[in-house]
Amino acid sequence: MIQAPGKTRKKILRKTSIVVLILLIVSITAFPAFGEDDETDFIIPDYGYTVDYYRSYGEPVLQASVIGDPELNRGETATLQIKIVNEGVIEGFQRLNVNQTWVSDSSEELLAVEEMGEEKECTTAKNINAHLVSETEYIEVESATNFQNVEELETGHPSMLQYTIKVDSDTPAGNYVLLLPVSYDYQANVRTATGAVANLGLTDTEYTREYKTKTETLKIPVSIKSEPKLEVAEVKGTLKQGENRVIEVTYTNTRERVAQDAMARIIVMSPLSTEKSIVRLGDIGPGENKTASFEIAATSDATVKNYGIDSEVKYVDEDGETAFSDNMKVHVPLEAAEKKISTTGIAIILIILIAIYQIVNMHRKRNKNDDENASGDENE
């Protein structure tokens, strides 16, 4: 066997090493940037095929707030718009001690810098799922709008969520907190693929990425507006056919605010009527009662039954605006009139009595004449 001289063999080995080194550098730098193709590869290179130049410190930080006025009214169906913002920041990077044997220091430093650029995506939240939860029975979140999804949210960027909620008409005034549980993925680490990854048949993989899933609950504060609520507490009096009667209606403020300069009104329809349908009550404080007196007339042929008279109270709210209570029912019974004998009836009765008297009187006279005639015949 012919062997090459020592110097020649060293030159061959040196040239071979240079060629291998160039091929490795080309194979590494020729890989495309990480994209959707990486996420669809069926083979994920393990740590034996990748190196880690940098470790980033930072992750997404989501904040949520209500757009517009968070004060809600009782009994309303509202569209609640919530803005979520990613306020995550990168706190720093740590350079790890990695040296690839077949890569020069300058090329490796370039690879490290490029990996650090990819690490900056650690604060981006991906595939955000959010649903609104109410822990109070007074506020209901409609299921049709409950689940919302945001595909991606980078640092400093907002996204809008929209939910439909229903507020019960008996909801106590005050502050409430709705819960917004969210889950999302974020990039926890990036590793640079080495030339050995080509042995797996992955020619388009430059980086591998490790993702973590985070779940947290954001708080959404809302409030229910304080306002008066007026109700009919008591009704005194009855109506009667063909008469005017006074009905006393007591109104109560069952809520937290004063109903200023309140005025009560009733709405009556035939066969009932009134000449004064509005009565001033003045200010009605929380828990306070005020009574209004209404004179109501009923026709003589009015049906005997319980009547539901509509009533409402107009007042001035805390903002100085005119407001109206809900429609209320004033339930009043109507009684039948007492049966009285009319003048015509009395006249008819007198005529009948006179006629009866005349008939009886004539009958007596006839009997008397018959008796006298009979006694005269006997004397003869």
Side-chain angles (χ1 to χ4, degrees):
M1 178 182 293
I2 300 176
Q3 293 184 348
K7 290 184 178 180
T8 303
R9 188 170 59 181
K10 288 182 179 179
K11 288 182 180 179
I12 294 173
L13 290 174
R14 188 180 298 113
K15 289 181 179 180
T16 303
S17 299
I18 292 173
V19 171
V20 171
L21 180 61
I22 292 173
L23 290 174
L24 285 174
I25 294 173
V26 171
S27 65
I28 292 173
T29 57
F31 290 150
F34 176 80
E36 294 181 356
D37 292 340
D38 272 303
E39 298 176 339
T40 57
D41 284 336
F42 291 96
I43 301 176
I44 300 177
D46 59 22
Y47 281 13
Y49 296 90
T50 60
V51 292
D52 198 0
Y53 289 112
Y54 272 97
R55 178 65 51 82
S56 62
Y57 294 92
E59 60 184 44
V61 177
L62 300 186
Q63 301 289 342
S65 60
V66 176
I67 299 298
D69 191 355
E71 188 175 60
L72 305 172
N73 294 316
R74 296 179 177 94
E76 77 167 323
T77 298
T79 298
L80 196 66
Q81 292 187 326
I82 298 176
K83 179 175 71 174
I84 58 172
V85 179
N86 186 354
E87 298 182 353
V89 295
I90 298 175
E91 298 175 358
F93 297 94
Q94 180 184 1
R95 179 68 161 89
L96 305 178
N97 294 322
V98 176
N99 289 302
Q100 295 193 61
T101 305
W102 302 104
V103 181
S104 66
D105 291 343
S106 59
S107 297
E108 192 163 37
E109 189 60 32
L110 178 61
L111 293 174
V113 171
E114 290 178 349
E115 181 185 304
M116 184 176 69
E118 297 295 325
E119 290 278 5
K120 293 180 180 179
E121 293 187 17
C122 64
T123 57
T124 298
K126 297 177 179 289
N127 191 30
I128 303 172
N129 292 308
H131 66 281
L132 192 63
V133 177
S134 171
E135 293 188 316
T136 173
E137 61 181 346
Y138 296 108
I139 301 176
E140 177 188 353
V141 182
E142 285 193 355
S143 58
T145 63
N146 197 5
F147 290 91
Q148 304 279 326
N149 176 268
V150 178
E151 184 176 346
E152 183 176 284
L153 191 61
E154 298 178 353
T155 294
H157 288 230
S159 183
M160 301 299 298
L161 306 177
Q162 187 168 290
Y163 299 92
T164 301
I165 62 174
K166 294 181 179 179
V167 183
D168 191 89
S169 58
D170 293 324
T171 304
N175 297 321
Y176 294 83
V177 175
L178 303 178
L179 302 180
L180 186 70
V182 295
S183 65
Y184 53 88
D185 301 324
Y186 68 96
Q187 179 180 280
N189 191 27
V190 176
R191 296 177 65 89
T192 300
T194 66
V197 76
N199 296 330
L200 299 176
L202 303 177
T203 59
D204 295 329
T205 300
E206 187 175 2
Y207 303 102
T208 62
R209 302 174 190 268
E210 177 186 349
Y211 284 90
K212 290 185 178 180
T213 299
K214 185 176 181 180
T215 300
E216 59 182 320
T217 299
L218 308 178
K219 295 183 178 181
I220 310 297
V222 296
S223 63
I224 304 300
K225 184 178 181 180
S226 299
E227 58 186 0
K229 183 177 182 181
L230 297 165
E231 298 178 353
V232 173
E234 186 179 14
V235 179
K236 291 183 178 180
T238 59
L239 301 176
K240 182 170 285 190
Q241 290 175 327
E243 294 186 13
N244 289 7
R245 291 289 185 90
V246 174
I247 303 299
E248 294 183 347
V249 183
T250 300
Y251 299 90
T252 300
N253 182 0
T254 62
R255 289 278 167 79
E256 312 83 6
R257 296 291 181 180
V258 177
Q260 303 176 39
D261 195 22
M263 301 178 67
R265 181 175 75 134
I266 59 172
I267 303 172
V268 295
M269 300 178 66
S270 180
L272 307 180
S273 62
T274 182
E275 293 184 357
K276 185 179 180 181
S277 61
I278 298 176
V279 175
R280 183 177 296 277
L281 300 174
D283 294 346
I284 308 177
E288 188 177 358
N289 297 332
K290 288 292 181 71
T291 300
S293 297
F294 299 97
E295 185 175 351
I296 302 175
T299 61
S300 58
D301 59 350
T303 302
V304 176
K305 66 174 185 177
N306 287 329
Y307 285 82
I309 300 173
D310 290 324
S311 178
E312 65 180 5
V313 176
K314 182 176 74 172
Y315 61 92
V316 177
D317 63 19
E318 59 180 346
D319 298 323
E321 301 291 334
T322 299
F324 292 87
S325 69
D326 294 334
N327 185 68
M328 297 170 280
K329 288 291 184 180
V330 177
H331 295 283
V332 184
L334 187 144
E335 301 173 348
E338 296 177 0
K339 298 297 183 181
K340 296 181 179 179
I341 301 176
S342 64
T343 304
T344 303
I346 294 174
I348 293 174
I349 292 174
L350 289 175
I351 292 173
I352 293 173
L353 291 175
I354 293 172
I356 293 173
Y357 173 78
Q358 292 294 338
I359 293 172
V360 171
N361 190 41
M362 290 176 60
H363 183 69
R364 285 178 179 176
K365 287 182 178 180
R366 183 179 298 170
N367 289 338
K368 184 177 180 181
N369 291 333
D370 290 342
D371 291 341
E372 289 178 352
N373 292 333
S375 62
D377 292 338
E378 290 177 358
N379 292 330
E380 291 179 358

